Amino acid sequence: LKLLHKRTESLTLEGFLSSRKCNLSESLLSELSETCSNLKRLKLKKFYIHADKIELQHLPRSLTHLSLGNSEVCNLPPEANSYFKNIHLTFPHLEVLDLENCGWVSNHSLMAISKVESLKEISLKGCFQIGNCFAYTALATNFGFNNLEKINLQDTDISDKELCCFGRKPKLRELHVGGQFGCKLTD
């Protein structure tokens, strides 16, 4: 952290997911938020995170790009209180959210994520729970994702019904589907 300062705009950190021990601390994130007040891009790769200790609110509010790719979050709150609850307030300028290969991300998470008005791009590739409840997808796409331009739904459990929901978003330009997991698509 001694090399970081308020002009730092991008940071990538890689954890030790294979250790299955929490390797990201609240104090590190608090100091990061304080030191890098203009941080725009943050990639947290391969971290093992305890949701009851590390919340999204601990990250810098200035973020426009956030990646939790290949990270595992355990001790998630009950479904009624998504880990992404109030993400639209926490990151009011978030444009890109990368959740690639985050199997812990549930279809219910779409409800909270859809409220981020500035969100233009989201990757849910490898989030195998996405597509397991049509109602959440329908509600999230009906009331949110208004500025979404690109979404990656490869290797999810997405079906034709959910694709139709995303396909109705007027600003959507790229929709990536297919892969190994959710081969439920019909002709």
Side-chain angles (χ1 to χ4, degrees), residues 41-80:
R41 297 173 184 262
L42 179 61
K43 290 183 181 181
L44 299 174
K45 301 188 317 186
K46 298 182 181 178
F47 277 94
Y48 191 74
I49 301 167
H50 286 267
D52 54 349
K53 296 177 183 171
I54 304 296
E55 298 176 8
L56 292 178
Q57 291 81 359
H58 295 124
L59 301 174
R61 291 182 46 86
S62 57
L63 294 180
T64 59
H65 293 67
L66 174 61
S67 174
L68 298 174
N70 296 298
S71 291
E72 181 69 35
V73 177
C74 65
N75 300 333
L76 289 164
E79 201 169 272

Side-chain angles (χ1 to χ4, degrees), residues 119-160:
L119 192 65
K120 294 179 181 175
E121 182 179 328
I122 184 169
S123 178
L124 297 168
K125 181 178 181 179
C127 297
F128 54 84
Q129 293 187 58
I130 299 299
N132 63 6
C133 182
F134 173 73
Y136 288 136
T137 305
L139 285 170
T141 55
N142 195 35
F143 296 107
F145 291 123
N146 294 324
N147 292 304
L148 195 64
E149 297 174 3
K150 179 180 178 181
I151 186 166
N152 189 335
L153 294 167
Q154 293 174 304
D155 299 323
T156 64
D157 199 21
I158 205 81
S159 72
D160 287 347

